[in-house]
Amino acid sequence: MKRSHWMTRTAVCLALIGSLVPERRVLAQAPQRPMQADSAPVAVSPVTDVTDVALTEGGGFSGQVVDGQGRPQAGTSVLVCQQHQVVGTTTTDQQGQFSLGGLHGGVYQVVAGQGMKNVRLWAPGTAPPAARQSALVVAGGEVVRGQGGLRYWLTNPWVLALAITAAIAVPIALSNREKSAASG
């Protein structure tokens, strides 16, 4: 009986210590950078979120560049890259609009300022119904979305430690209560 009590306490202690130790972070390999013949490398991130965009006749692709607050960014250079190679460049107009022609269906990265957007371009007539007619690229500065929510609570180490402690301690307390009621 004393041995199981000792083992239970040891298990609880190990669970608490394990939940407090910082998790090991694994970093992905840095993405390769596409090169343009007459300029510095362009930062391109790995494909994570892709927006479907329908091309117009002649491979026309258009979009708008805005800042983190949604204001159009005039005069911003826009690079369109595929497989780490720049396939087209342009500059935004006064409303932050841009357009390029001669593109084919496939996955591209649109780089504008400090922003980047992954797009899957579809040849005319082949795009899925949910495809957009243009792309929206947020350039410059970090976009901060609402913080908190369920993800915060499920990834907070203190909340996880408390949940694990409760999951272990409650059954132990109930078991001890039943044993003391049965013996008394």
Side-chain angles (χ1 to χ4, degrees):
M1 180 123 150
K2 289 187 179 192
R3 182 177 179 174
S4 69
H5 189 66
W6 176 83
M7 289 174 49
T8 303
R9 285 187 178 180
T10 302
V12 170
C13 289
L14 288 174
L16 286 172
I17 291 169
S19 66
L20 295 175
V21 173
E23 65 183 69
R24 182 176 171 196
R25 304 241 184 231
V26 178
L27 300 176
Q29 178 182 4
Q32 295 178 358
R33 299 174 186 266
M35 296 295 290
Q36 194 172 9
D38 59 347
S39 69
V42 177
V44 174
S45 68
V47 176
T48 55
D49 185 30
V50 179
T51 301
D52 289 320
V53 178
L55 291 170
T56 61
E57 292 299 325
F61 168 60
S62 64
Q64 184 180 28
V65 178
V66 297
D67 66 9
Q69 286 73 40
R71 294 182 297 242
Q73 297 297 291
T76 302
S77 293
V78 178
L79 301 173
V80 178
C81 308
Q82 187 178 44
Q83 297 177 351
H84 307 294
Q85 297 294 319
V86 176
V87 296
T89 62
T90 188
T91 304
T92 60
D93 64 15
Q94 291 300 317
Q95 290 77 36
Q97 302 284 335
F98 67 89
S99 63
L100 286 165
L103 298 174
H104 303 284
V107 177
Y108 293 82
Q109 295 79 39
V110 182
V111 180
Q114 297 298 314
M116 200 272 313
K117 179 83 168 181
N118 294 304
V119 295
R120 182 181 302 116
L121 300 181
W122 294 85
T126 64
R132 300 176 187 265
Q133 298 303 309
S134 64
L136 181 66
V137 181
V138 179
E142 186 174 318
V143 176
V144 179
R145 295 185 174 88
Q147 303 299 307
L150 184 60
R151 182 175 180 170
Y152 169 78
W153 292 106
L154 293 177
T155 58
N156 184 316
W158 293 104
V159 173
L160 291 175
L162 183 61
I164 291 169
T165 302
I168 294 171
V170 168
I172 292 171
L174 291 175
S175 175
N176 289 343
R177 190 173 117 187
E178 288 175 7
K179 288 178 186 176
S180 63
S183 64

